[in-house]
DNA sequence: TTCGCGTTTACGGGAACCCGTATTTCAGTA
DNA sequence: TACTGAAATACGGGTTCCCGTAAACGCGAA
């Protein structure tokens, strides 16, 4: 089993649960727990410098903000920073995030070994994930597997998000059209915006703009 | 200290963290953990029947849905059910939810003893909350305290919430009018609904229904 | 160049919205 | 009973949304 594991998790309830599991159930000798991504990166560097690197990183994706000023503010940034430095370190993501888009982004692009969904069996899944990764295999929580393999994968572009954001901020379609054309963004015509919104209404099963924005909010898109 | 505590929490990572804390740090003899609100209610009833009731309930608010059909699908419903049955049982909420409205609703209306925010110091806060409640006192996480003391809120009735809910579900104002008059709810006229929504737009600083629903979502009203 | 195809834009009509004003309803009171 | 004020309803107009159709544009391939 892994000897030295770093756990990055802001919620102490969760961190406590994970670290005791690692020690008690899996017999990991050294579990280091931190609540900040900045700190995590420093710890990784320091351990490398002392010739006692971590064998595994388990990290959350979203972190609550507090008073501390941060340079790395999310698990996403942390992982990207590690990968650009070419550090050979298996990574397991443990998150509540279950949007297909983010999941595939990580598992494919960033060479993440496992993606565990914090659900009812999150801890059990994590245990299995650690075991699998130790044997050089990958691991995805059931629901994640279904998400990435299923058909419910729509490409929502930043453009769509911006439209939804404008709407939720009280702009009319007409105002949005003017805004975009002033910015030089294309497409900007009222017609195109309507068409785009119609596609979104279709995807998110909404009757009108009100429901569309409500559903987008529920999905965490805006 | 409390002898018998029921913890209702769907995420096993969190549940594991809380229950070990209760046992190890606070010396609670019997910690029962469940991942479903339905099950929690049954356990409370059963314990009462066996003349060995729980001394304390610690519950989350939001629960992920899975295959199981549920009659009680949220911490909110669980608490309301307990309170309507007049069960004398101190309740501590432990949630990530920090919308002002939901917080005041619980602490004022439902006689909840403590509201702990699942943040960086969630577990520490929870420990203090349990101690405080055991001494007959209340407890609110710092951030929660700031939220509830900050602004005093406008009187938003259930009627207003229902309007917002209908809107967010794609109904037009006209449809809502018909729905309400069929239900025998008054006021139900289009005019009255418009007037009510105008008041809400004023309160929540919204230009139109889209922004209104978006803002209401942000505040956790719907 | 010309064709074909997809994207962007334009336009029109009906529904839903927004907003002001006017009328009706109804409970409380003299 | 009649009066009164607040709430509920009714109505009209201007704006915005919604949805269909059609024209203009852009860009590769023949």
């Amino acid at each position: 089993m892994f000897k030295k594991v770093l756990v990055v998790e802001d919620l102490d309830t969760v961190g406590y649960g994970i670290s005791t599991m690692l020690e008690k159930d899996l017999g990991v000798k050294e579990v280091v727990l931190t609540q900040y991504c900045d700190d995590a990166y420093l710890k990784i560097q320091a351990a490398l410098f002392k010739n006692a690197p971590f064998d595994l990183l388990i990290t959350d994706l979203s972190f609550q903000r507090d008073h501390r000023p941060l340079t790395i503010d999310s698990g996403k940034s942390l992982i990207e920073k590690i990968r650009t430095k070419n550090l050979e370190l298996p990574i397991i993501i443990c998150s509540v995030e279950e949007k297909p888009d983010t999941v595939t982004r990580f598992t494919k692009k960033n060479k993440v070994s496992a993606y565990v969904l914090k659900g009812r069996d999150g801890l059990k899944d994590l245990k299995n994930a650690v075991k699998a990764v130790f044997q050089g295999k990958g691991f995805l929580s059931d629901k994640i597997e279904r998400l990435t393999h299923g058909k419910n994968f729509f490409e929502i572009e930043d453009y769509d998000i911006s439209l939804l954001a404008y709407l939720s901020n009280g702009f009319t379609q007409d105002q949005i059209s003017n805004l975009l054309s002033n910015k030089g963004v294309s497409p900007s015509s009222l017609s195109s915006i309507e068409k785009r919104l119609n596609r979104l209404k279709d995807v998110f099963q909404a009757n009108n703009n009100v429901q569309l924005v409500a559903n987008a909010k529920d999905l965490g898109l805006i």
Side-chain angles (χ1 to χ4, degrees), chain A:
Chain A
M1 182 43 59
F2 293 111
K3 295 272 185 295
K4 191 172 176 179
V5 178
L6 178 62
V7 178
V8 194
E9 168 64 58
D10 59 340
L11 275 54
D12 59 354
T13 45
V14 178
Y16 191 60
I18 291 176
S19 57
T20 52
M21 181 278 285
L22 288 172
E23 289 168 354
K24 298 277 166 61
D25 297 3
L26 293 179
V28 175
K29 287 278 180 333
E30 191 178 357
V31 177
V32 179
L33 182 61
T34 178
Q35 298 189 294
Y36 296 91
C37 293
D38 279 338
D39 189 48
Y41 189 68
L42 290 179
K43 279 191 160 65
I44 290 171
Q45 294 282 45
L48 210 59
F49 187 72
K50 287 186 205 160
N51 249 328
F54 286 98
D55 304 320
L56 175 67
L57 170 66
I58 299 175
T59 181
D60 193 4
L61 285 182
S62 60
F63 291 78
Q64 291 180 12
R65 237 168 271 274
D66 63 8
H67 54 282
R68 270 170 64 159
L70 297 175
T71 56
I72 312 176
D73 64 342
S74 71
K76 181 170 176 276
S77 315
L78 176 64
I79 290 169
E80 278 168 0
K81 192 150 186 180
I82 289 172
R83 284 300 178 237
T84 51
K85 293 272 177 179
N86 277 320
L87 299 183
E88 283 298 327
L89 174 69
I91 299 176
I92 295 178
I93 291 178
C94 184
S95 168
V96 286
E97 192 77 47
E98 51 175 313
K99 283 192 288 186
D101 202 56
T102 52
V103 175
T104 47
R105 206 167 277 201
F106 279 108
T107 51
K108 304 231 164 120
K109 273 170 70 178
N110 282 306
K111 301 168 199 161
V112 167
S113 308
Y115 197 113
V116 174
L117 192 61
K118 270 183 197 158
R120 288 220 158 68
D121 302 320
L123 201 61
K124 207 172 69 187
D125 280 4
L126 183 59
K127 201 190 293 184
N128 291 328
V130 173
K131 285 181 190 168
V133 172
F134 185 66
Q135 294 167 13
K137 293 187 285 189
F139 182 92
L140 293 178
S141 286
D142 283 352
K143 200 169 178 184
I144 293 295
E145 192 111 41
R146 260 175 281 136
L147 276 174
T148 50
H149 278 60
K151 292 179 209 162
N152 45 343
F153 186 87
F154 306 100
E155 339 73 51
I156 306 295
E157 303 171 25
D158 290 345
Y159 181 83
D160 298 300
I161 307 286
S162 74
L163 287 187
L164 294 171
Y166 281 130
L167 277 183
S168 74
N169 286 324
F171 291 95
T172 67
Q173 296 177 165
D174 200 47
Q175 288 171 326
I176 296 174
S177 169
N178 292 328
L179 268 166
L180 292 183
S181 67
N182 286 342
K183 276 197 193 178
V185 177
S186 172
S188 70
S189 76
L190 182 58
S191 238
S192 298
I193 290 172
E194 283 183 346
K195 188 167 283 185
R196 204 74 170 219
L197 288 175
N198 279 334
R199 195 179 68 93
L200 290 173
K201 277 177 217 159
D202 194 44
V203 172
F204 295 124
Q205 303 180 64
N207 296 328
N208 50 41
N209 285 350
V210 179
Q211 192 178 13
L212 177 60
V213 166
N215 291 352
K217 282 256 175 213
D218 284 339
L219 291 172
L221 262 70
I222 46 177

